[in-house]
Amino acid sequence: MKRLIVLSMLAVLALPALAKGDWRGKVVDENGEPVAYANVAVLSKADSTVVCGVITTEDGTFNIVTSETDGIMMVAMLGYKTVYLAPVDGAVITLSDDTQMLEGAVASAVMPKTRLTGEGLQTNVRGSVLENAGSANDVLAKTPGLIKGQNGLEVIGKGSPMVYINGRRVTDASELGRLQSNEIQSVEVITNPGAQYDATVRAVVRIRTIRRQGDGFGFNLNASDAQSLLWARGNDPFGAVNVNYRTGGVDIFGGVNYARNTSRQESELEKNTFGRTAVGDDWLFVNKGTLLNEYIGSSLYGNAGVNWQMADNHFLGGKVEWGRHLTYSVHTEVNDNVFENGTMVDMLTTVSDDTMGERIPYNLGANLYYNGLVAGKLGIDINLDYYGTDDSSKSVSNEASEMTHDAAISSASNNAGRMYAAKAVLSYPIWKGRLQAGTEETFSRRTDNYSVEGIDIPASEATVKEDNIAGFASYGCYLPKVGQFSAGVRYEWVRYAYEDAVTPENILSRDYGNWFPNVSYAGVIGAQSGSPVQVMLNYSAKTSRPHYGNLSSAIRYNSRYIWQSGNSRLQPEMSHNIGLTAVWKYITVMLNYSRTDDAIVTWSAPYGAEGVVLVKPRNIETPFRMMAAYVNLTPTVGPWNMNYTIGVLPQWFTINAPDPREASGIRVTTFNDKPIFFAQLFNTFTVKGGWQFELGGVLMSPGYSRNLYMTNWFVNLTAAVQKTLLRDGSLVVRLEGEDFTRTAHFNTASDFGSHTIKQTNLMDTQKVKLSVRYSFNTVQSKYRGTGAGADSKARM
């Protein structure tokens, strides 16, 4: 079998002393689409050693400058047949699928193909059943390595990913709803992000769109409406318009979208709170009640930008994104029966309404970038970013008690955040690989003002300042017949300061300095046997810093018996991760293990002796260990395409919980022996006439998730029917439904030592959705800005 080269950002390169040969060209696949990051090398005719090489850019082009004037050109990428040819300037080189490598995975032209890239799993969308799955959200929900649960999309075992589209970070989550599946070329799930990413990034999803050719004006329209089957007010309309104009080297784009979102939750709760008086008497408060929560909100988002290709391999551009809430309403009803040592002491009904405050909430972001290649070797990528957000809300709660006293509680919250960031990355070929080095600086400022009337809780005027200065370097190379090796390290220095003008004693300042290494290997086992297995092994160190809202020590009033607070003394989490991935034909197997120190959990404890519970985040002194193991199968039988993922999520977690009933005041609680088993079973049937039928489901068993126990089976059954219209397929109509059995929810229980809680939940997830998408002469934006300060944006 011909030599296989693992796809990565790093190529096999060597810098010659004197340049004589100068060859340019382009690498494409069998559909004529550019092949990015393919290895293009010049070999010596004498002994076939690598003289020099490059990797192709995102548009598939390359430029080799070398002293070798009579060598052999080799073009290679994992999953494609390696091509050998005499060097020719201006050649367009076509790579074809390696049917031996992908045997079983190409049984049908409509089946998505998954391959290793050296960083993660890449799934080709174009030409597969995912091409007409709906929006990017629909594609991601069915991409190997991702799972959709009650809290949205997650990389299995890694949590919520950071998403990039054509190298630009997605800061507006609704953009994934606007991006159509038929505009996507591929999706790459990266489980071991390199040193160029912020140390808090544990998983990355990179979406590459189809590169449209030619100039002109284009637009696409996307409209949908989802209706709850159980709640008349649960109606979620969505509309988006995106335009693009390209002429010569200038690309101008923009868009606007409107969305209305609703949610409804019905719960039954039981809380037990234990305590001991100063004279040694035990007491027990029991709260039994119900909760109803309804949310209705609408928002408007827009974006505009320009990309200018000044010359070959030189790009300059900018983009502005903005959003604002149009409406915001949260209605909550809580009925609470309170017992003290077995005697009822209160029957309380609390009705709360949250609305927008004195300022209309908004966010504004901007990015400027330069991306270029100097002298065909030195890569330069510079990004400047700004992100600002203002949030204002007010709450009014009316408490009616049949046994004690009534009360009216009102509160107001006004928050503002600003972030300034810069990132510069240089890359250069050295020996048989490529060296990358850069720096990233992020400066964040946040104010958090909170006031409450009707109860004796102090106000807060908190200010949070955080500066993050980072430097990073990485190197990767390919060794023939061995595989791809890469290693990197990132150093982050963080200064954090918290102060409260109302309570000056709450002043906190910390400095952190940490190294975050990562290493990986990717290669092929059994290439000569005719049944090759792609493998990848990696290690990385990561951190997770608390959201700014969790750093405020101000106490916020939720109800008479539940108060909430942040924790200005929270420490960042530190984790070490090891992963192993193997791909054979249409079978993918992945194992991930992680150990996290100073894990952050939500904790609940008594506040005084009147049955009040204070909920706040805290660090856990013992390590949190977790494993994720799963297998993904994507066989095809005629028009039937299967995408099945089955796995397990065991964890090992022990907490020393404060408990006044114990002589030592501490009780050891464990969350170890009940792993969560899960399965994603998606079936797609494609028939003639542009019809596509889908039937699938997500299942999760009871089990532990950190310090929570999920007590029931989570089952979400989905179905869809879709019709593609017009000769060019530019009009798509889709009807879909989810949660047909009304079981897409988790019931929870937890043991906090001095406080236990049980809660059953019924969520408004049984919905039917109709969507219509139309595209006219769409030309995909060539925007190349990658952004800076991504972690700080997310935490705001």
Side-chain angles (χ1 to χ4, degrees), residues 414-433:
N414 294 284
N415 309 314
R418 301 290 183 267
M419 185 218 67
Y420 308 88
K423 185 176 183 179
V425 183
L426 302 178
S427 59
Y428 197 82
I430 296 179
W431 190 52
K432 296 181 181 293

Side-chain angles (χ1 to χ4, degrees), residues 473-701:
S474 62
Y475 180 77
C477 64
Y478 170 77
L479 300 179
K481 299 182 180 181
V482 178
Q484 162 86 38
F485 294 88
S486 64
V489 64
R490 183 183 180 99
Y491 178 79
E492 291 190 357
W493 178 84
V494 179
R495 168 162 290 176
Y496 166 79
Y498 171 89
E499 61 181 55
D500 193 325
V502 177
T503 54
E505 64 273 14
N506 289 336
I507 296 178
L508 186 64
S509 179
R510 298 197 196 105
D511 290 347
Y512 302 100
N514 301 100
W515 294 90
F516 302 96
N518 68 88
V519 294
S520 68
Y521 162 78
V524 177
I525 298 175
Q528 304 302 323
S529 67
S531 185
V533 178
Q534 307 170 51
V535 296
M536 180 176 66
L537 179 66
N538 56 60
Y539 160 81
S540 64
K542 296 293 181 180
T543 187
S544 179
R545 301 186 182 94
H547 289 263
Y548 292 124
N550 286 338
L551 294 172
S552 172
S553 294
I555 296 178
R556 298 175 182 257
Y557 186 86
N558 286 354
S559 71
R560 182 172 296 185
Y561 296 100
I562 300 178
W563 298 0
Q564 188 173 354
S565 172
N567 184 354
S568 62
R569 300 187 181 277
L570 278 179
Q571 298 286 338
E573 295 182 346
M574 299 294 293
S575 65
H576 300 271
N577 312 278
I578 299 175
L580 174 65
T581 305
V583 178
W584 180 70
K585 296 185 178 180
Y586 59 81
I587 302 174
T588 300
V589 178
M590 180 172 285
L591 297 172
N592 278 300
Y593 172 82
S594 66
R595 172 193 165 120
T596 301
D597 295 317
D598 293 321
I600 298 174
V601 300
T602 299
W603 198 257
S604 181
Y607 190 75
E610 302 297 328
V612 176
V613 171
L614 181 64
V615 180
K616 63 187 296 185
R618 59 164 287 196
N619 294 108
I620 300 302
E621 299 80 9
T622 54
F624 170 70
R625 298 185 297 272
M626 175 184 176
M627 179 180 287
Y630 71 87
V631 58
N632 175 256
L633 310 173
T634 55
T636 292
V637 179
W640 179 18
N641 296 271
M642 290 159 276
N643 186 347
Y644 297 164
T645 300
I646 303 172
V648 61
L649 301 170
Q651 67 173 42
W652 299 268
F653 199 22
T654 300
I655 298 178
N656 298 321
D659 190 339
R661 298 170 297 173
E662 300 291 331
S664 63
I666 297 294
R667 179 163 56 88
V668 177
T669 58
T670 60
F671 306 86
N672 298 336
D673 57 346
K674 297 178 180 178
I676 294 177
F677 294 88
F678 65 91
Q680 287 193 138
L681 309 174
F682 296 117
N683 302 274
T684 303
F685 302 87
T686 57
V687 297
K688 294 181 179 180
W691 288 97
Q692 182 168 298
F693 302 89
E694 302 171 19
L695 180 64
V698 178
L699 299 89
M700 296 186 189
S701 74

Side-chain angles (χ1 to χ4, degrees), residues 21 66 76 98 107 129 173 254 339 355 405 475 532 536 544 746 756 782:
T66 176
D98 192 328
V129 293
F339 301 83
T355 57
H405 64 278
Y475 180 77
M536 180 176 66
S544 179
F746 275 121
T756 63
K782 299 185 292 182

Side-chain angles (χ1 to χ4, degrees), residues 40 107 136 151 189 197 372 378 423 441 596 626 696-697:
V40 183
N151 296 321
V189 179
Y197 295 100
L378 178 63
K423 185 176 183 179
E441 295 81 29
T596 301
M626 175 184 176

Side-chain angles (χ1 to χ4, degrees), residues 357-375:
E358 58 187 28
R359 300 196 305 266
I360 296 177
Y362 80 93
N363 60 73
L364 176 66
N367 169 257
L368 294 174
Y369 80 93
Y370 166 77
N371 180 277
L373 192 64
V374 179

